[in-house]
Amino acid sequence: MGDKPVQERGAGHRLMEEALVETCAEADASIGMLYLPEPSGRVLHLAVTVGVAREFAVPWARVGIDDPVPVADAVREHRLVWLGGLEDTARRYPRVGLVVPYRFALAATPLDASRTAAERPTGSGLVLLWPGSHGPDLGDRERQVLESGARRLAGVLRRAADEGRAIRPEAHPVILAPRPPPTPGPVEAAAGLGFIRRLPGGSCALDLNGKVTFITERAADLLGEPVSRLIGALPWEALPWMDTPTVEDHYRAAMISRMPRSFLADHPDGRRLRFDLYPDASGLSVRITQAAEEPAPSAAPPPAAETAPSPSRAHALYQLIHLAASLTEAAHAQDVVDKAADQLVPALGAHAMALLVEEEQRLRIVGYRGYTAELMARFDGSPVSADTARAHVLRTGNPLFFGSPDELLAAYPATRVLDGMAAWAFLPLIASGRPVGSLVLGYSHPRAFAPGERAILTAIAGLIAQALERARLYDSTHQLARSLQTGLLPRVLPQVPGLEVAARYLPAAQGLDIGGDFYDLIRIDDSTVAAAIGDVQGHNVNAAALMGQVRTAVHATAGAPPAEVLARTNRLLTDLEPGLFTSCLYVHIDFTRCRASLATAGHPPPLLRRPDGSTTVLELPPGLLLGIDPDTAYTATEVPFAPGALLALYTDGLVETPGRDIGDAIGETAARLTRTPRHASLDLVADNLIGHARHAAPRKDDIALLLLRHGYDRPTFPLTFKMRPK
């Protein structure tokens, strides 16, 4: 499960792990976590962590770059994220506050923030946690250690990549053991044991995972079990009367906050025991004494032993809360699949998962984890009328649990066990009161599903079903909106001899709104062409409709002088009284004269890269937005457009970011255009500009981009263009 010996992972991994451990120690941090990106850069994987148990790490092992968690914000926005306490966390990151409602301070930072975007490791992040006793502010020394640690880790990753041995995240996080304390000598060890035995009550020690590593005879007597049964066990598994969310939550709180904690628990024989927890980097020291309170009623007898241990109630509740918080943020069906698979499979003891939905009386697999693609292809499309467990739960809405292959074959004799599993849970996905699919969980060992576990699994399936229904509706509506949006844009731009063209349209990253950004290219005759770009106010169907009207009006008047085209279009829009305004930039290019004439109606200024490679921002005479005043006059400006010149028309989504001067952003885009090789294909130039805009800052507006370049050999090499969807 990821805990391979360090030497098997190579020198780069060893240096990375050492750097993380030393950064934690120098910063006096209690927990350290290093995230590395998957190749797409859209998901961060927890590669290495120190100071925390696997149980705590697994739910955060895979973080989407857009997820509302500190490390995603730090990496995506390339900034330090600091959380100074419980209230700060709950206010800014409700999901984290809900799942980890304990006292701690946290810092998340991208690796090597001092370097340029081209030099630093893309998508890597460092997270440090401090005990709950930490103050609300990050100290100067801690900040310096954090920054130097991030630079050191970045250097390790960069050197490994340069040597052709790039470090990639493993399937599961590597959980590093804390540095062991000095080994006491025989005399010191004997004195320590004597000291412990003389203390009133009993003493025991738990490791980071909660397992008992040491316990005195007196502590075992108080708990009512022999030492041999308790050593190496989790208290809430060896002692069923301690299998409560409250007990396990105290353990979690102490380990995350690194602060002492006390609680009372009722023994089945009527005694009330007091537990005092003292945490550090290696685990917990626990003092157990008998409390003075009156005896409590006897607890229910412990349940019978199971073939394979089930998750404790507190553990299952923790996973249920985490999954519920995650699913509220899942926008697309694939998000639901990923979040469910990432958390259910490792956290609840399952080894495989398949998610199926009903489509046209057949079960379609929408996602899986732990199964092979070949096996899933075999079962995909099976009829809902089939005599199978997965179809049965869809038809009836009742879950099925099989603790062994014999139990499954007894219920469904025709079944062929092909997945290598030894126990299964088939759970109905019920949304809006009806079954919509099935969730299949496979276990590699026989398993007795206790009633509490069955209830938890059924509840989890219900959460997934509701989230999946919302996400599929969102996907359908989103696709409809995007189809309408792109349907109003030109599918194919005309072929213009001597003119190279590249166009891009990138919808806003979030929401179902339909934007009003548009562009167009109009061939007038063999020697002249017109281009237009604009941005309608708003993001709705009305904006899209107005965008179509603006394009039609521009087409109807194309060929007239640019100022007149804008004036006529403006009068048409004011007559329509749509209640919306639009910016527009219109360009008339004359290849015979090698000139371009431009007029603007409140649109961002175009960029002109001259044949020598220098780029200028064309500050045109300002014009009022279209649709406000029918008597507005516009002014045209003429500029040279010689062979080799490139004209970039764009909407403000390409350059506008919150908190930044738009003039500076336009200047940076012009500089980026200057640095692009003059003879690079326009597709590469367009992708470079769009890619920079997407990753420089979060975008909430659509982007339209139209690039026009005067070809060198116009009569001989006519160039065509067909828009590629992005």
Side-chain angles (χ1 to χ4, degrees):
M1 297 294 288
D3 294 328
K4 295 185 291 187
V6 172
Q7 60 269 22
E8 291 183 18
R9 294 193 293 268
H13 288 82
R14 177 178 54 78
L15 292 173
M16 177 179 68
E17 293 161 4
E18 289 177 353
L20 178 63
V21 171
E22 291 178 9
T23 299
C24 279
E26 292 171 6
D28 294 325
S30 51
I31 296 172
M33 309 169 83
L34 176 64
Y35 282 86
L36 300 180
E38 68 175 19
S40 71
R42 304 305 301 167
V43 176
L44 305 176
H45 289 268
L46 178 57
V48 187
T49 185
V50 62
V52 67
R54 176 176 301 282
E55 176 189 341
F56 297 127
V58 163
W60 307 100
R62 192 173 184 272
V63 174
I65 193 66
D66 295 317
D67 283 358
V69 295
V71 68
D73 284 354
V75 171
R76 186 182 65 253
E77 301 172 11
H78 202 69
R79 63 181 177 90
L80 171 69
V81 174
W82 168 253
L83 300 177
L86 183 60
E87 293 184 4
D88 193 19
T89 302
R91 183 182 71 255
R92 295 168 55 193
Y93 295 94
R95 170 179 161 186
V96 179
L98 174 66
V99 178
V100 194
Y102 311 123
R103 294 178 60 187
F104 60 88
L106 179 148
T109 183
L111 296 195
D112 213 348
S114 64
R115 290 185 172 263
T116 65
E119 295 174 319
R120 59 187 174 240
T122 303
S124 302
L126 172 64
V127 179
L128 296 184
L129 275 73
W130 284 266
S133 56
H134 193 286
D137 300 317
L138 181 65
D140 291 339
R141 189 189 68 81
E142 293 167 334
R143 184 186 297 270
Q144 292 171 1
V145 171
L146 183 67
E147 292 173 351
S148 63
R151 285 194 298 270
R152 178 179 173 185
L153 285 162
V156 171
L157 297 177
R158 195 162 44 248
R159 285 191 296 274
D162 292 343
E163 294 169 359
R165 294 190 293 270
I167 299 175
R168 305 294 183 197
E170 300 183 23
H172 304 282
V174 175
I175 312 297
L176 299 179
R179 291 176 175 173
T183 302
V187 175
E188 185 181 9
L193 284 175
F195 170 80
I196 292 171
R197 292 189 178 111
R198 285 190 292 271
L199 293 173
S203 301
C204 74
L206 310 181
D207 64 13
L208 288 177
N209 294 306
K211 292 185 178 180
V212 178
T213 57
F214 167 81
I215 187 166
T216 63
E217 291 284 354
R218 175 56 179 155
D221 290 342
L222 287 169
L223 296 175
E225 293 288 347
V227 170
S228 60
R229 174 171 166 75
L230 295 173
I231 288 291
L234 294 170
W236 37 88
E237 288 183 358
L239 305 166
W241 54 275
M242 294 192 73
D243 182 13
T244 70
T246 301
V247 170
E248 204 168 339
D249 186 65
H250 285 299
Y251 157 72
R252 296 176 192 278
M255 291 309 306
I256 296 296
S257 70
R258 291 291 201 270
M259 298 181 68
R261 197 173 182 91
S262 299
F263 67 92
L264 300 174
D266 297 325
H267 194 279
D269 66 8
R271 292 177 293 122
R272 175 162 288 183
L273 301 179
R274 176 186 174 93
F275 296 82
D276 296 296
L277 314 181
Y278 302 94
D280 71 1
S282 62
L284 281 175
S285 294
V286 184
R287 291 286 300 145
I288 307 172
T289 55
Q290 187 163 340
E293 286 82 2
E294 292 297 320
S298 298
E306 300 179 352
T307 306
S310 301
S312 70
R313 280 181 284 169
H315 177 79
L317 181 62
Y318 173 72
Q319 301 302 334
L320 184 61
I321 292 173
H322 193 284
L323 180 62
S326 300
L327 291 178
T328 60
E329 300 153 3
H332 302 283
Q334 191 57 47
D335 295 337
V336 175
V337 173
D338 290 341
K339 292 179 184 297
D342 290 340
Q343 295 174 40
L344 285 185
V345 174
L348 297 183
H351 295 83
M353 184 205 85
L355 200 60
L356 306 92
V357 297
E358 186 272 332
E359 291 181 356
E360 299 178 348
Q361 293 299 302
R362 292 189 175 275
L363 279 170
R364 297 293 181 185
I365 294 175
V366 295
Y368 59 91
R369 190 65 54 83
Y371 287 127
T372 65
E374 292 78 13
L375 182 64
M376 292 296 96
R378 180 175 184 140
F379 291 120
D380 189 32
S382 59
V384 297
S385 59
D387 186 24
T388 62
R390 57 186 179 278
H392 175 87
V393 298
L394 172 66
R395 293 194 303 267
T396 65
N398 297 320
L400 294 174
F401 301 90
F402 301 103
S404 68
D406 290 342
E407 291 182 15
L408 175 60
L409 293 173
Y412 295 93
T415 297
R416 295 178 60 192
V417 179
L418 302 173
D419 59 2
M421 298 292 114
W424 299 265
F426 295 88
L427 308 163
L429 300 177
I430 299 177
S432 302
R434 63 182 182 87
V436 296
S438 305
L439 170 65
V440 181
L441 295 175
Y443 301 81
S444 61
H445 300 288
R447 187 180 196 84
F449 293 94
E453 184 181 8
R454 295 186 181 206
I456 287 288
L457 293 177
T458 303
I460 287 175
L463 288 176
I464 294 172
Q466 295 171 19
L468 187 61
E469 185 180 47
R470 290 194 304 269
R472 296 181 78 197
L473 176 61
Y474 180 96
D475 286 341
S476 298
T477 309
H478 188 271
Q479 181 59 41
L480 177 63
R482 292 306 165 208
S483 297
L484 174 60
Q485 172 84 67
T486 55
L488 292 171
L489 294 171
R491 294 180 62 84
V492 179
L493 296 179
Q495 301 176 11
V496 180
L499 184 68
E500 297 177 68
V501 184
R504 296 288 185 271
Y505 170 74
L506 187 70
Q510 298 179 348
L512 299 176
D513 293 338
I514 304 171
D517 289 18
F518 68 91
Y519 59 84
D520 212 345
L521 183 68
I522 308 162
R523 180 172 179 172
I524 299 172
D525 56 38
D526 288 342
S527 62
T528 55
V529 66
I533 193 165
D535 186 357
V536 178
Q537 171 197 23
H539 289 79
N540 50 40
V541 174
N542 292 335
L546 182 60
M547 178 255 279
Q549 292 170 329
V550 173
R551 281 193 61 219
T552 301
V554 170
H555 262 271
T557 56
E564 186 175 339
V565 171
L566 291 184
R568 291 180 184 179
T569 305
N570 178 55
R571 285 194 293 272
L572 173 63
L573 293 187
T574 51
D575 288 342
L576 292 174
E577 296 183 350
L580 296 174
F581 315 122
T582 179
S583 69
C584 185
L585 175 67
Y586 181 85
V587 184
H588 182 96
I589 298 174
D590 186 334
F591 290 105
T592 303
R593 300 175 52 240
C594 292
R595 308 288 290 181
S597 181
L598 309 93
T600 183
H603 198 79
L607 307 177
L608 176 65
R609 191 174 71 179
R610 302 182 182 89
D612 64 3
S614 62
T615 303
T616 186
V617 180
L618 297 179
E619 297 291 355
L620 306 177
L624 195 62
L625 294 170
L626 302 179
I628 297 178
D629 181 359
D631 299 323
T632 300
Y634 298 91
T635 304
T637 299
E638 193 172 89
V639 298
F641 193 62
L646 186 156
L647 194 61
L649 316 180
Y650 55 91
T651 56
D652 55 8
L654 184 75
V655 294
E656 192 172 48
T657 57
R660 187 179 186 193
D661 181 77
I662 192 169
D664 294 341
I666 292 173
E668 181 181 316
T669 303
R672 179 169 290 274
L673 192 59
T674 299
R675 293 194 297 269
T676 304
R678 281 185 291 163
H679 299 294
S681 77
L682 285 195
D683 279 337
L684 291 178
V685 176
D687 290 342
N688 179 273
L689 294 176
I690 291 288
H692 175 72
R694 290 181 63 183
H695 296 103
R699 297 281 159 179
K700 297 184 179 180
D701 201 0
D702 300 345
I703 299 175
L705 174 66
L706 183 62
L707 301 180
L708 310 169
R709 182 162 62 191
H710 192 164
Y712 286 92
D713 299 309
R714 189 172 70 86
T716 307
F717 299 103
L719 297 172
T720 61
F721 170 77
K722 182 174 288 186
M723 192 178 78
R724 300 189 311 179
K726 295 299 288 179

